[in-house]
Amino acid sequence: MKITLIGFMGSGKTSVAQQLGHLLRLPVLEMDDLILKKTNAKNMHEAFAIGGELLIREKEIEIAKEYSTIDNTIISSGGGIVMNKIVLDYLKMTFGKVVFLNASFSTIACRLADDKLRPLFSNIQDVEALYRFRLPLYLKYSDQVIETDGKTVDRIAEEIVGGFKHGK
Ligand code: S3P
C-alpha cells in the first residue's frame, strides 16, 4: 500500500503521515525534505531563492518518478503538488492511493498565522486565492477525501485506514 497525502499548506499532511506510518508500520517520506536534499538548501526559503517555484516543481516531478515503482510507503507531499498532473500520475503507480486532507481556509489561516517557514504563505488575500484555485485540483486528483476540520490527527488517520478497508 502506498498512500500519498495531498492538501493545502497547513492541512496536517506531515502529522497525519506520521500517524499513518505508525498505524500501518510503514516508512514515511516527506517530499519537502527530499526537495531540500536535492537542492542542498537548508529550508524552503533557501530552495525558492536558488531556483524559484519552478525548481520546486521540477524536483517534485523527479521525486514522484523515483517513487513511482516503490510500494509500502506513506508520502507527505507539498501543497503545490497538484500544479503538475504528472506528479500525481507517478504517485498513483504501483498501488498508489491519493488522499486529500480537506481543511477549510479559516482553519488553515489560523494554523499558519505566525508561520515563517513557508515562502508561499504571505499576503492572506493571495493565499486565499491560491487555496480557491487549488481546491478543485485536490478534489480531482484524490481517491479519497477526508474532511479534517475539528478532528484529531488520530481520528483522521483512522478514517483513512478505515476507508481503505472498505475499498474506498
Ligand atoms: C508549497 C507548499 C510547501 C512546500 C513549498 C511549496 C506550495 O509544502 O512544498 O513551500 O506550493 O503550496 P507544505 O504544504 O508542506 O507546506
Side-chain angles (χ1 to χ4, degrees), residues 20-67:
L20 273 179
H22 174 72
L23 279 179
L24 299 170
R25 297 195 175 78
L26 291 177
V28 178
L29 164 80
E30 188 68 45
M31 282 185 83
D32 283 359
D33 289 347
L34 281 191
I35 292 173
L36 297 184
K37 265 195 201 135
K38 280 179 179 282
T39 56
N40 284 322
K42 281 197 288 295
N43 53 48
M44 271 296 162
H45 285 286
E46 211 176 286
F48 269 75
I50 294 168
E53 192 176 343
L54 197 62
L55 177 68
I56 309 302
R57 302 296 161 232
E58 275 172 17
K59 294 300 160 197
E60 283 174 339
I61 297 173
E62 232 175 85
I63 295 163
K65 191 172 182 187
E66 285 163 16
Y67 275 79

Side-chain angles (χ1 to χ4, degrees), residues 37-98:
K37 265 195 201 135
K38 280 179 179 282
T39 56
N40 284 322
K42 281 197 288 295
N43 53 48
M44 271 296 162
H45 285 286
E46 211 176 286
F48 269 75
I50 294 168
E53 192 176 343
L54 197 62
L55 177 68
I56 309 302
R57 302 296 161 232
E58 275 172 17
K59 294 300 160 197
E60 283 174 339
I61 297 173
E62 232 175 85
I63 295 163
K65 191 172 182 187
E66 285 163 16
Y67 275 79
S68 64
T69 53
I70 292 173
D71 191 10
N72 292 323
T73 310
I74 308 297
I75 301 174
S76 170
S77 69
I81 202 167
V82 288
M83 302 310 283
N84 284 308
K85 180 178 177 289
I86 192 163
V87 178
L88 283 306
D89 289 341
Y90 279 134
L91 292 171
K92 285 186 185 192
M93 288 176 188
T94 320
F95 313 112
K97 291 278 178 214
V98 172

